[in-house]
CSV table of all heavy atoms in Angstrom, one decimal:
chain,number,residue,atom,x,y,z
C,27,TYR,N,-3.6,20.7,29.3
C,27,TYR,CA,-3.9,20.4,30.7
C,27,TYR,C,-4.4,21.7,31.4
C,27,TYR,O,-5.4,21.7,32.2
C,27,TYR,CB,-2.8,19.8,31.5
C,27,TYR,CG,-2.6,18.3,31.2
C,27,TYR,CD1,-3.2,17.7,30.0
C,27,TYR,CD2,-1.8,17.5,32.0
C,27,TYR,CE1,-2.9,16.4,29.8
C,27,TYR,CE2,-1.6,16.2,31.7
C,27,TYR,CZ,-2.2,15.6,30.6
C,27,TYR,OH,-1.9,14.3,30.3
C,28,LEU,N,-3.6,22.8,31.2
C,28,LEU,CA,-4.0,24.1,31.8
C,28,LEU,C,-5.3,24.6,31.3
C,28,LEU,O,-6.1,25.1,32.1
C,28,LEU,CB,-2.9,25.1,31.6
C,28,LEU,CG,-3.1,26.5,32.2
C,28,LEU,CD1,-3.2,26.4,33.7
C,28,LEU,CD2,-1.9,27.4,31.8
C,29,HIS,N,-5.6,24.4,30.0
C,29,HIS,CA,-6.8,24.9,29.5
C,29,HIS,C,-8.0,24.1,30.0
C,29,HIS,O,-9.1,24.7,30.4
C,29,HIS,CB,-6.8,24.7,27.9
C,29,HIS,CG,-8.1,25.1,27.3
C,29,HIS,ND1,-8.6,26.4,27.3
C,29,HIS,CD2,-9.0,24.4,26.6
C,29,HIS,CE1,-9.7,26.5,26.6
C,29,HIS,NE2,-10.0,25.2,26.2
C,30,LEU,N,-7.8,22.8,30.2
C,30,LEU,CA,-8.9,22.0,30.8
C,30,LEU,C,-9.2,22.4,32.2
C,30,LEU,O,-10.4,22.4,32.6
C,30,LEU,CB,-8.5,20.5,30.8
C,30,LEU,CG,-8.4,19.8,29.4
C,30,LEU,CD1,-8.0,18.3,29.5
C,30,LEU,CD2,-9.7,19.9,28.6
C,31,LEU,N,-8.2,22.8,32.9
C,31,LEU,CA,-8.3,23.2,34.3
C,31,LEU,C,-9.0,24.6,34.3
C,31,LEU,O,-10.0,24.8,35.0
C,31,LEU,CB,-7.0,23.3,35.0
C,31,LEU,CG,-7.0,23.8,36.5
C,31,LEU,CD1,-7.9,23.0,37.4
C,31,LEU,CD2,-5.6,23.9,37.0
C,32,ASP,N,-8.5,25.5,33.5
C,32,ASP,CA,-9.1,26.9,33.5
C,32,ASP,C,-10.5,27.0,33.0
C,32,ASP,O,-11.3,27.7,33.5
C,32,ASP,CB,-8.2,27.8,32.7
C,32,ASP,CG,-6.9,28.2,33.4
C,32,ASP,OD1,-6.8,27.9,34.6
C,32,ASP,OD2,-6.0,28.8,32.8
C,33,ALA,N,-10.7,26.3,31.9
C,33,ALA,CA,-12.0,26.4,31.2
C,33,ALA,C,-13.1,25.5,31.7
C,33,ALA,O,-14.3,25.8,31.6
C,33,ALA,CB,-11.8,26.2,29.7
C,34,TYR,N,-12.7,24.3,32.2
C,34,TYR,CA,-13.7,23.3,32.5
C,34,TYR,C,-13.6,22.7,33.9
C,34,TYR,O,-14.4,21.9,34.3
C,34,TYR,CB,-13.6,22.1,31.5
C,34,TYR,CG,-13.7,22.6,30.1
C,34,TYR,CD1,-12.6,22.6,29.2
C,34,TYR,CD2,-14.9,23.0,29.5
C,34,TYR,CE1,-12.7,23.0,27.9
C,34,TYR,CE2,-15.0,23.4,28.2
C,34,TYR,CZ,-13.9,23.4,27.4
C,34,TYR,OH,-14.0,23.8,26.1
C,35,GLY,N,-12.6,23.2,34.7
C,35,GLY,CA,-12.4,22.7,36.0
C,35,GLY,C,-11.9,21.2,36.1
C,35,GLY,O,-12.0,20.6,37.1
C,36,ILE,N,-11.4,20.7,35.0
C,36,ILE,CA,-10.8,19.3,35.0
C,36,ILE,C,-9.4,19.4,35.4
C,36,ILE,O,-8.5,19.9,34.6
C,36,ILE,CB,-11.0,18.7,33.6
C,36,ILE,CG1,-12.5,18.7,33.2
C,36,ILE,CG2,-10.4,17.3,33.5
C,36,ILE,CD1,-12.7,18.2,31.7
C,37,ARG,N,-9.1,18.9,36.5
C,37,ARG,CA,-7.7,18.9,37.1
C,37,ARG,C,-7.1,17.5,36.9
C,37,ARG,O,-7.6,16.6,37.5
C,37,ARG,CB,-7.7,19.3,38.5
C,37,ARG,CG,-6.3,19.4,39.1
C,37,ARG,CD,-6.4,19.7,40.6
C,37,ARG,NE,-7.1,20.9,40.9
C,37,ARG,CZ,-6.5,22.1,41.0
C,37,ARG,NH1,-5.2,22.2,40.7
C,37,ARG,NH2,-7.2,23.2,41.2
C,38,ILE,N,-6.0,17.4,36.2
C,38,ILE,CA,-5.4,16.1,36.0
C,38,ILE,C,-4.6,15.8,37.3
C,38,ILE,O,-3.7,16.5,37.7
C,38,ILE,CB,-4.4,16.1,34.8
C,38,ILE,CG1,-5.2,16.4,33.5
C,38,ILE,CG2,-3.7,14.8,34.7
C,38,ILE,CD1,-6.4,15.5,33.2
C,39,ALA,N,-5.1,14.7,37.9
C,39,ALA,CA,-4.5,14.3,39.3
C,39,ALA,C,-3.6,13.1,39.2
C,39,ALA,O,-2.8,12.9,40.1
C,39,ALA,CB,-5.7,14.1,40.2
C,40,ALA,N,-3.7,12.3,38.2
C,40,ALA,CA,-2.9,11.1,38.1
C,40,ALA,C,-2.8,10.7,36.6
C,40,ALA,O,-3.7,10.9,35.8
C,40,ALA,CB,-3.6,9.9,38.9
C,41,ILE,N,-1.6,10.1,36.3
C,41,ILE,CA,-1.3,9.7,34.9
C,41,ILE,C,-0.8,8.3,35.0
C,41,ILE,O,0.1,8.0,35.8
C,41,ILE,CB,-0.4,10.6,34.2
C,41,ILE,CG1,-1.0,12.0,34.0
C,41,ILE,CG2,0.1,10.0,32.9
C,41,ILE,CD1,-0.1,13.0,33.4
C,42,ARG,N,-1.3,7.4,34.1
C,42,ARG,CA,-0.8,6.0,34.0
C,42,ARG,C,-0.3,5.9,32.6
C,42,ARG,O,-1.0,6.2,31.6
C,42,ARG,CB,-1.9,5.0,34.3
C,42,ARG,CG,-1.5,3.6,34.1
C,42,ARG,CD,-2.6,2.6,34.3
C,42,ARG,NE,-2.2,1.2,34.3
C,42,ARG,CZ,-3.0,0.2,34.3
C,42,ARG,NH1,-4.3,0.4,34.4
C,42,ARG,NH2,-2.5,-1.0,34.2
C,43,GLU,N,1.0,5.4,32.5
C,43,GLU,CA,1.6,5.2,31.2
C,43,GLU,C,2.1,3.8,30.9
C,43,GLU,O,2.5,3.1,31.8
C,43,GLU,CB,2.8,6.2,31.1
C,43,GLU,CG,2.4,7.7,31.2
C,43,GLU,CD,3.6,8.5,31.2
C,43,GLU,OE1,4.7,8.1,31.7
C,43,GLU,OE2,3.5,9.7,30.7
C,44,LYS,N,1.9,3.4,29.7
C,44,LYS,CA,2.5,2.1,29.2
C,44,LYS,C,3.5,2.4,28.1
C,44,LYS,O,3.1,3.0,27.1
C,44,LYS,CB,1.4,1.2,28.8
C,44,LYS,CG,1.9,-0.2,28.3
C,44,LYS,CD,0.7,-1.1,27.8
C,44,LYS,CE,1.2,-2.4,27.4
C,44,LYS,NZ,0.0,-3.3,27.0
C,45,LEU,N,4.7,2.0,28.3
C,45,LEU,CA,5.8,2.3,27.3
C,45,LEU,C,6.2,1.1,26.6
C,45,LEU,O,6.3,0.0,27.1
C,45,LEU,CB,7.0,2.9,28.0
C,45,LEU,CG,6.9,4.4,28.4
C,45,LEU,CD1,5.9,4.7,29.4
C,45,LEU,CD2,8.3,4.9,28.8
C,46,MET,N,6.4,1.3,25.3
C,46,MET,CA,6.9,0.1,24.4
C,46,MET,C,7.6,0.7,23.2
C,46,MET,O,7.6,1.9,23.0
C,46,MET,CB,5.7,-0.7,24.0
C,46,MET,CG,4.7,0.0,23.1
C,46,MET,SD,3.1,-0.8,23.0
C,46,MET,CE,2.5,-0.4,24.6
C,47,ALA,N,8.3,-0.1,22.5
C,47,ALA,CA,9.0,0.2,21.3
C,47,ALA,C,8.3,-0.4,20.1
C,47,ALA,O,7.9,-1.6,20.2
C,47,ALA,CB,10.5,-0.1,21.4
C,48,GLU,N,8.2,0.3,19.0
C,48,GLU,CA,7.6,-0.2,17.8
C,48,GLU,C,8.4,0.2,16.6
C,48,GLU,O,9.1,1.3,16.7
C,48,GLU,CB,6.1,0.2,17.7
C,48,GLU,CG,5.2,-0.4,18.7
C,48,GLU,CD,3.8,0.0,18.4
C,48,GLU,OE1,3.5,0.7,17.4
C,48,GLU,OE2,2.9,-0.4,19.3
C,49,LEU,N,8.3,-0.5,15.5
C,49,LEU,CA,8.9,0.0,14.3
C,49,LEU,C,8.1,1.3,13.8
C,49,LEU,O,6.9,1.3,13.9
C,49,LEU,CB,8.8,-1.0,13.2
C,49,LEU,CG,9.9,-2.1,13.3
C,49,LEU,CD1,9.6,-3.2,12.2
C,49,LEU,CD2,11.3,-1.5,13.1
C,50,ALA,N,8.8,2.3,13.3
C,50,ALA,CA,8.1,3.5,12.8
C,50,ALA,C,7.3,3.1,11.6
C,50,ALA,O,7.7,2.5,10.7
C,50,ALA,CB,9.1,4.5,12.5
C,51,ASP,N,6.0,3.6,11.6
C,51,ASP,CA,5.2,3.4,10.5
C,51,ASP,C,5.3,4.5,9.5
C,51,ASP,O,6.1,5.5,9.7
C,51,ASP,CB,3.7,3.1,10.9
C,51,ASP,CG,3.1,4.3,11.6
C,51,ASP,OD1,3.6,5.5,11.5
C,51,ASP,OD2,2.1,4.1,12.4
C,52,LYS,N,4.5,4.5,8.4
C,52,LYS,CA,4.7,5.5,7.4
C,52,LYS,C,4.4,6.9,7.9
C,52,LYS,O,5.1,7.9,7.6
C,52,LYS,CB,3.7,5.2,6.2
C,52,LYS,CG,3.8,6.1,5.1
C,52,LYS,CD,2.9,5.7,3.9
C,52,LYS,CE,3.0,6.6,2.7
C,52,LYS,NZ,2.1,6.2,1.6
C,53,GLU,N,3.4,7.1,8.8
C,53,GLU,CA,3.1,8.4,9.4
C,53,GLU,C,4.2,8.8,10.3
C,53,GLU,O,4.5,10.0,10.3
C,53,GLU,CB,1.7,8.3,10.2
C,53,GLU,CG,1.3,9.6,10.8
C,53,GLU,CD,-0.1,9.5,11.4
C,53,GLU,OE1,-0.2,8.7,12.4
C,53,GLU,OE2,-1.0,10.2,11.0
C,54,ASP,N,4.7,7.9,11.1
C,54,ASP,CA,5.8,8.3,12.0
C,54,ASP,C,7.0,8.8,11.2
C,54,ASP,O,7.6,9.9,11.5
C,54,ASP,CB,6.3,7.1,12.8
C,54,ASP,CG,5.3,6.5,13.7
C,54,ASP,OD1,4.5,7.3,14.3
C,54,ASP,OD2,5.3,5.3,14.0
C,55,ARG,N,7.3,8.2,10.1
C,55,ARG,CA,8.5,8.6,9.3
C,55,ARG,C,8.2,9.9,8.6
C,55,ARG,O,9.1,10.8,8.6
C,55,ARG,CB,8.8,7.5,8.2
C,55,ARG,CG,9.2,6.2,8.8
C,55,ARG,CD,9.8,5.3,7.8
C,55,ARG,NE,8.9,4.9,6.7
C,55,ARG,CZ,8.1,3.9,6.7
C,55,ARG,NH1,8.1,3.1,7.8
C,55,ARG,NH2,7.3,3.6,5.7
C,56,ARG,N,7.0,10.2,8.2
C,56,ARG,CA,6.7,11.5,7.6
C,56,ARG,C,6.7,12.6,8.6
C,56,ARG,O,7.3,13.6,8.3
C,56,ARG,CB,5.3,11.3,6.9
C,56,ARG,CG,4.8,12.7,6.3
C,56,ARG,CD,3.5,12.5,5.6
C,56,ARG,NE,2.5,12.0,6.4
C,56,ARG,CZ,1.7,12.8,7.2
C,56,ARG,NH1,1.9,14.1,7.2
C,56,ARG,NH2,0.7,12.3,7.9
C,57,LEU,N,6.1,12.4,9.7
C,57,LEU,CA,5.9,13.5,10.7
C,57,LEU,C,7.2,13.8,11.5
C,57,LEU,O,7.5,14.9,11.9
C,57,LEU,CB,4.8,13.2,11.7
C,57,LEU,CG,3.4,13.2,11.1
C,57,LEU,CD1,2.4,12.8,12.1
C,57,LEU,CD2,3.0,14.6,10.5
C,58,LEU,N,8.0,12.7,11.7
C,58,LEU,CA,9.2,12.8,12.5
C,58,LEU,C,10.5,12.8,11.7
C,58,LEU,O,11.6,12.8,12.3
C,58,LEU,CB,9.2,11.7,13.6
C,58,LEU,CG,8.0,11.6,14.5
C,58,LEU,CD1,8.2,10.5,15.5
C,58,LEU,CD2,7.8,13.0,15.3
C,59,ALA,N,10.3,12.8,10.4
C,59,ALA,CA,11.5,12.9,9.5
C,59,ALA,C,12.5,11.7,9.8
C,59,ALA,O,13.7,12.0,9.9
C,59,ALA,CB,12.2,14.2,9.6
C,60,LEU,N,11.9,10.5,9.8
C,60,LEU,CA,12.7,9.3,10.1
C,60,LEU,C,13.0,8.5,8.8
C,60,LEU,O,12.2,8.5,7.9
C,60,LEU,CB,12.0,8.4,11.1
C,60,LEU,CG,11.7,9.1,12.5
C,60,LEU,CD1,10.9,8.1,13.3
C,60,LEU,CD2,13.0,9.5,13.2
C,61,ALA,N,14.2,8.0,8.8
C,61,ALA,CA,14.5,7.0,7.7
C,61,ALA,C,13.9,5.7,8.0
C,61,ALA,O,13.4,5.4,9.1
C,61,ALA,CB,16.0,6.9,7.6
C,62,SER,N,13.8,4.8,7.0
C,62,SER,CA,13.3,3.5,7.2
C,62,SER,C,14.4,2.5,7.0
C,62,SER,O,15.2,2.6,6.0
C,62,SER,CB,12.2,3.3,6.1
C,62,SER,OG,11.7,2.0,6.3
C,63,PRO,N,14.5,1.5,7.8
C,63,PRO,CA,13.7,1.2,9.0
C,63,PRO,C,14.1,2.1,10.2
C,63,PRO,O,15.3,2.5,10.3
C,63,PRO,CB,13.9,-0.3,9.3
C,63,PRO,CG,15.3,-0.5,8.9
C,63,PRO,CD,15.5,0.4,7.7
C,64,ASN,N,13.3,2.3,11.2
C,64,ASN,CA,13.6,3.0,12.4
C,64,ASN,C,12.6,2.6,13.5
C,64,ASN,O,11.6,1.9,13.2
C,64,ASN,CB,13.5,4.5,12.1
C,64,ASN,CG,14.5,5.3,12.9
C,64,ASN,OD1,14.7,5.1,14.1
C,64,ASN,ND2,15.2,6.2,12.1
C,65,ALA,N,12.9,3.0,14.7
C,65,ALA,CA,12.0,2.6,15.8
C,65,ALA,C,11.5,3.9,16.5
C,65,ALA,O,12.1,5.0,16.4
C,65,ALA,CB,12.8,1.8,16.8
C,66,VAL,N,10.4,3.8,17.1
C,66,VAL,CA,9.8,4.9,17.9
C,66,VAL,C,9.5,4.4,19.3
C,66,VAL,O,9.1,3.2,19.5
C,66,VAL,CB,8.6,5.5,17.2
C,66,VAL,CG1,9.0,6.3,16.0
C,66,VAL,CG2,7.5,4.5,17.0
C,67,LEU,N,9.5,5.3,20.2
C,67,LEU,CA,9.0,5.0,21.6
C,67,LEU,C,7.5,5.3,21.6
C,67,LEU,O,7.1,6.4,21.2
C,67,LEU,CB,9.7,5.9,22.6
C,67,LEU,CG,9.2,5.9,24.0
C,67,LEU,CD1,9.5,4.5,24.7
C,67,LEU,CD2,9.8,7.0,24.9
C,68,VAL,N,6.7,4.4,22.0
C,68,VAL,CA,5.3,4.6,22.1
C,68,VAL,C,4.8,4.7,23.5
C,68,VAL,O,5.2,3.8,24.4
C,68,VAL,CB,4.5,3.4,21.4
C,68,VAL,CG1,3.0,3.6,21.5
C,68,VAL,CG2,5.0,3.3,20.0
C,69,ILE,N,4.1,5.8,23.9
C,69,ILE,CA,3.7,6.0,25.2
C,69,ILE,C,2.2,6.0,25.2
C,69,ILE,O,1.6,7.0,24.6
C,69,ILE,CB,4.2,7.3,25.8
C,69,ILE,CG1,5.7,7.4,25.7
C,69,ILE,CG2,3.8,7.5,27.3
C,69,ILE,CD1,6.3,8.8,25.9
C,70,ARG,N,1.5,5.1,25.7
C,70,ARG,CA,0.1,5.0,25.8
C,70,ARG,C,-0.3,5.5,27.2
C,70,ARG,O,0.0,4.9,28.2
C,70,ARG,CB,-0.5,3.6,25.5
C,70,ARG,CG,-0.3,3.3,24.1
C,70,ARG,CD,-0.8,1.9,23.7
C,70,ARG,NE,-0.5,1.7,22.3
C,70,ARG,CZ,-0.5,0.5,21.7
C,70,ARG,NH1,-0.7,-0.6,22.4
C,70,ARG,NH2,-0.2,0.4,20.4
C,71,GLU,N,-1.0,6.6,27.2
C,71,GLU,CA,-1.2,7.4,28.5
C,71,GLU,C,-2.7,7.5,28.8
C,71,GLU,O,-3.5,7.8,27.9
C,71,GLU,CB,-0.6,8.8,28.3
C,71,GLU,CG,-0.8,9.7,29.4
C,71,GLU,CD,-0.3,11.1,29.0
C,71,GLU,OE1,0.8,11.3,28.6
C,71,GLU,OE2,-1.2,12.1,29.1
């Protein structure tokens, strides 16, 4: 966010988020070192 402001003049003024829970997929388990099954918090922003 700071880079966008400094380099391009793009200032983040508002954020809208949608939160949900999903089962961790294969990528989630690999990157977050999760066992299976597991859940992750999903934030769509």
Side-chain angles (χ1 to χ4, degrees):
Y27 284 15
L28 180 58
H29 179 67
L30 293 180
L31 178 60
D32 284 351
Y34 306 106
I36 299 173
R37 183 187 300 273
I38 301 304
I41 293 176
R42 180 183 181 186
E43 296 174 331
K44 181 178 181 181
L45 279 67
M46 63 198 74
E48 293 183 1
L49 282 175
D51 60 23
K52 185 177 180 180
E53 184 177 59
D54 296 329
R55 295 195 299 271
R56 176 175 60 85
L57 293 175
L58 303 179
L60 299 176
S62 180
N64 218 310
V66 291
L67 173 68
V68 179
I69 306 165
R70 292 181 181 162
E71 175 189 305

